[in-house]
Amino acid sequence: MKLNAFEFLDNFALMALAAVLYGIILRLDYPRDVRRILGGIMFGVGAAVSMMDPLRVAPGVIVDLRSLFIGFSGAFLGPVAMVISLTIGAVTRYQIGGTGVVPGIVAMTLAGCSGTLWGYLMRNRSRARVRHLLLLGLMLCVGLLAFLLLPPEIRIKAFKNAAPYAAASYILGALLLGTFVERERFYAMRERRLTNEVNTDPLTGLLNRRGFQSGFEAAQEETVSENGAAILLVDLDHFKKLNDTYGHDIGDLVLQSVGATLRKAVRQSDLLARLGGEEFVVYLPNASMADARNIAERIRAGIETSSVASNGSSIKASTSIGGCWSLNAMDLTTGLKRADVELYKAKQGGRNQVRFTPTIKSAA
């Protein structure tokens, strides 16, 4: 057996590429579970590719960096991703065959579990430092215990020649490539945070006008419904007077309370935003006219019954709501204009009430 460091450099380059792909996956606008599945597949493919050019200890016995890929999957993406990458790696190793099939699969399993344990231990830390990555590399070396499952004559040779080299590779790989992965994770999180800040109202945590428009356009593309959809404009009554009487600090608390009430009153699929001042907007995809009216009334009642404490007093607010419902695909500008007309009617009609535009039916 000839140990050649250059045979492992290709695997390190592959791991660096995997780190870049990991960053790309983190930036995808998919649910977290979907991103983890994609990451598990990516690391599993990396493990499989690593086995294509291994270090051969004996006939049917190979050493490579597959455990590093599996361990990273568990460490940075969690147990589900680890199982996915382990499955891909195990199937590949089984197809290669040879005496080392069972020990090889056991080694990957031990490394994957060790990486997942490391990820659990790191769950409350924002970033992994050098000492943490060194610990990860050492934990991945647990997989080398699978050499004990080899026949005695091969086992001694593997522990003497291949184990030290593989252990050094795992530790060096965890330090260098773990740094690459951490860098990608840091940049992806920063970009996501900046995007959230651009699209989010800092006071209430709801979307702002820009974020609502983007979310509305995405919902129009994704949502297919025969029930129709609605837009609600929610405007607090006499809010300027409330600010003048109690101060802007109390006004801000009222706005935050309204944001919380809106979240409780709507469905998970609905879109909420603060347009500015005391005006909010709600988009209700896949909602019948009756559903839209019920949600609007729930919002109105929730705001009316909630209160904010100030110097021993309870500060209450009320709201007027204008709604527009359509069975057809809804244009945002048109929907907002129609809802605004109804909002004006609610204000003129005595406030603290819900008004809806006449139903817009589809053409025959």
Side-chain angles (χ1 to χ4, degrees):
M1 179 185 67
K2 182 180 179 181
L3 298 177
N4 187 348
F6 291 102
E7 293 180 3
F8 283 90
L9 290 179
D10 290 340
N11 287 294
F12 282 129
L14 181 62
M15 191 64 188
L17 175 61
V20 174
L21 294 176
Y22 170 83
I24 293 174
I25 290 172
L26 287 184
R27 292 173 175 86
L28 293 175
D29 190 21
Y30 293 160
R32 177 182 297 182
D33 290 342
V34 174
R35 296 199 302 270
R36 287 178 174 175
I37 290 172
L38 291 175
I41 294 173
M42 181 270 295
F43 276 118
V45 170
V49 173
S50 175
M51 284 181 266
M52 297 299 101
D53 187 22
L55 181 69
R56 301 191 180 278
V57 179
V61 180
I62 59 177
V63 175
D64 47 62
L65 295 186
R66 82 193 86 142
S67 292
L68 193 59
F69 287 91
I70 307 300
F72 265 59
S73 181
F76 291 96
L77 294 171
V80 173
M82 187 275 288
V83 170
I84 293 172
S85 58
L86 175 61
T87 301
I88 295 174
V91 169
T92 303
R93 184 62 188 92
Y94 180 80
Q95 291 177 338
I96 292 174
T99 307
V101 169
V102 172
I105 294 176
V106 170
M108 284 187 284
T109 303
L110 291 174
C113 293
S114 297
T116 303
L117 175 61
W118 181 89
Y120 176 79
L121 296 175
M122 291 290 296
R123 66 191 185 282
N124 294 325
R125 297 183 181 273
S126 58
R127 297 194 68 179
R129 307 299 178 182
V130 172
R131 65 181 183 276
H132 303 133
L133 296 175
L134 177 61
L135 175 62
L136 174 59
L138 291 171
M139 291 177 69
L140 295 182
C141 291
V142 172
L144 298 177
L145 293 176
F147 282 161
L148 295 172
L149 300 176
L150 292 170
E153 63 277 10
I154 301 177
R155 181 193 313 156
I156 297 175
K157 185 178 181 181
F159 271 115
K160 181 179 179 180
N161 296 325
Y165 192 80
S169 299
Y170 292 160
I171 294 172
L172 182 61
L175 288 173
L176 296 180
L177 302 173
T179 300
F180 296 155
V181 169
E182 272 295 302
R183 183 190 63 183
E184 293 296 329
R185 189 168 72 95
F186 173 76
Y187 287 146
M189 290 176 61
R190 186 177 67 175
E191 290 172 13
R192 191 176 295 275
R193 184 173 63 252
L194 290 174
T195 299
N196 288 337
E197 290 176 357
V198 169
N199 292 324
T200 303
D201 171 54
L203 180 63
T204 62
L206 302 178
L207 294 174
N208 57 23
R209 184 182 293 270
R210 176 176 178 174
F212 179 79
Q213 184 170 357
S214 298
F216 180 87
E217 293 171 355
Q220 290 291 92
E221 294 177 0
E222 298 173 2
T223 304
V224 178
S225 170
E226 297 180 354
N227 293 326
I231 289 179
L232 308 178
L233 279 181
V234 180
D235 191 88
L236 298 184
D237 298 328
H238 304 299
F239 187 71
K240 183 179 184 303
K241 181 179 179 180
L242 186 150
N243 265 337
D244 293 340
T245 303
Y246 300 103
H248 289 278
D249 290 345
I250 297 301
D252 287 347
L253 291 177
V254 170
L255 291 173
Q256 291 173 340
S257 175
V258 169
T261 300
L262 286 169
R263 290 191 186 93
K264 293 178 182 178
V266 303
R267 305 164 303 177
Q268 187 173 2
S269 59
D270 298 333
L271 206 60
L272 299 172
R274 181 188 176 202
L275 295 181
E278 67 273 24
E279 189 174 39
F280 299 81
V281 62
V282 184
Y283 175 58
L284 308 173
N286 192 21
S288 66
M289 183 65 166
D291 292 335
R293 286 186 178 277
N294 289 337
I295 292 173
E297 180 58 32
R298 194 157 64 231
I299 292 172
R300 187 205 62 77
I303 294 175
E304 183 183 29
T305 56
S306 63
S307 62
V308 172
S310 173
N311 297 325
S313 301
S314 294
I315 311 302
K316 289 182 173 291
S318 65
T319 186
S320 300
I321 301 176
C324 169
W325 180 86
S326 175
L327 188 58
N328 297 319
M330 185 179 296
D331 173 71
L332 180 58
T333 301
T334 302
L336 288 174
K337 286 182 178 179
R338 289 179 176 271
D340 191 53
V341 170
E342 297 305 310
L343 175 62
Y344 179 79
K345 292 178 181 179
K347 294 285 188 181
Q348 292 298 108
R351 304 178 189 273
N352 193 23
Q353 58 184 269
V354 175
R355 290 289 185 93
F356 258 88
T357 189
T359 303
I360 306 172
K361 296 183 178 180
S362 60

